Amino acid sequence: MRRRSARRFFGVLAATTVAFTLFTSAPTAGATASVSTASVTQSAHEAAEPLSTRTPVVFVHGYTGNASNWVTAMSVFRLNGWSSSDLFAYEYNSYGNNVTNAQGLAAFVNGVKARTGASKVAIVNHSMGGLVSQYYLKVLGGNTSVSHLASIAGANHGTTYAGACLIYTTCQQMYPGSSFIAQISSGDETPGATRYATWYSACDGIIIPYTSTRLDGATNNNVVCQTHIGFLADTVVLGQIARFIAS
């Protein structure tokens, strides 16, 4: 019963946030706090010119998420030159163990490499997907198979919001100060030749503190105001991520 209540709580939260995001009359803000008018003009110019890449992209959802979270992202990537056959969504057990989830990600990436013939993939994660990705790249040595990592509102250093679901191992691992977070944040947070970037916002509301997403050694992009779930529909941010991976 407690598990069902927790699922219902987060389901209602996600649905409410998505509804708010989709029905807001103005586009959500996707520029960073330091973006100038010239940068906006350049961004618009880049968006008008299709990108092309053969790097497969693996999307990793957050807590209680699934592949459907990436519908908008995949559309943006296709508009920027990716083939649908190079876009993949990894799904895992939100209530299990993020060590197991990271091991599953390792197997999934190997499968993508075998299927596409690519030597490396790019990873785009959201929320708790940041923990799964970081464990894979740092602890399991996955950085040798990843060219770029983009973390959107990643719970990379935990979130106190996870206190609402501590009956699950994944939420215990996601709470600030956990041994899991200590393991992925000690020493080099951005190992190997992988290029790392994060997108985070003070308006997130779920990642608390919101700066938890930042990674030492990464390009950390502070978005003016975007909600946690709203990031998944923010075509400006998703376009920035597509260009980052194409670089």
Side-chain angles (χ1 to χ4, degrees), residues 105-117:
L105 176 58
F108 189 85
V109 168
N110 287 339
V112 169
K113 289 167 59 181
R115 177 173 173 177
T116 61

Side-chain angles (χ1 to χ4, degrees), residues 4-138:
R4 184 176 303 168
S5 298
R7 286 186 180 180
R8 185 179 298 114
F9 172 78
F10 280 96
V12 170
L13 172 66
T16 302
T17 309
V18 168
F20 176 80
T21 302
L22 294 180
F23 290 99
T24 299
S25 58
T28 54
T32 61
S34 59
V35 167
S36 64
T37 302
S39 297
V40 172
T41 301
Q42 180 182 3
S43 177
H45 175 70
E46 290 172 346
E49 301 214 0
L51 301 174
S52 179
T53 180
R54 295 182 61 85
T55 303
V57 182
V58 174
F59 296 91
V60 185
H61 65 75
Y63 181 72
T64 73
N66 55 53
S68 68
N69 292 163
W70 301 111
V71 170
T72 301
M74 289 188 178
S75 294
V76 170
F77 272 71
R78 284 193 295 269
L79 287 172
N80 281 282
W82 269 263
S83 167
S84 294
S85 60
D86 285 328
L87 302 175
F88 303 86
Y90 170 61
E91 293 188 316
Y92 60 87
N93 179 12
S94 290
Y95 311 102
N97 189 312
N98 280 322
V99 172
T100 302
N101 294 334
Q103 292 168 341
L105 176 58
F108 189 85
V109 168
N110 287 339
V112 169
K113 289 167 59 181
R115 177 173 173 177
T116 61
S119 60
K120 293 187 177 184
V121 306
I123 288 180
V124 179
N125 67 56
H126 177 248
S127 195
M128 193 173 75
L131 300 187
V132 176
S133 302
Q134 287 300 106
Y135 194 93
Y136 165 55
L137 267 73
K138 181 169 182 174

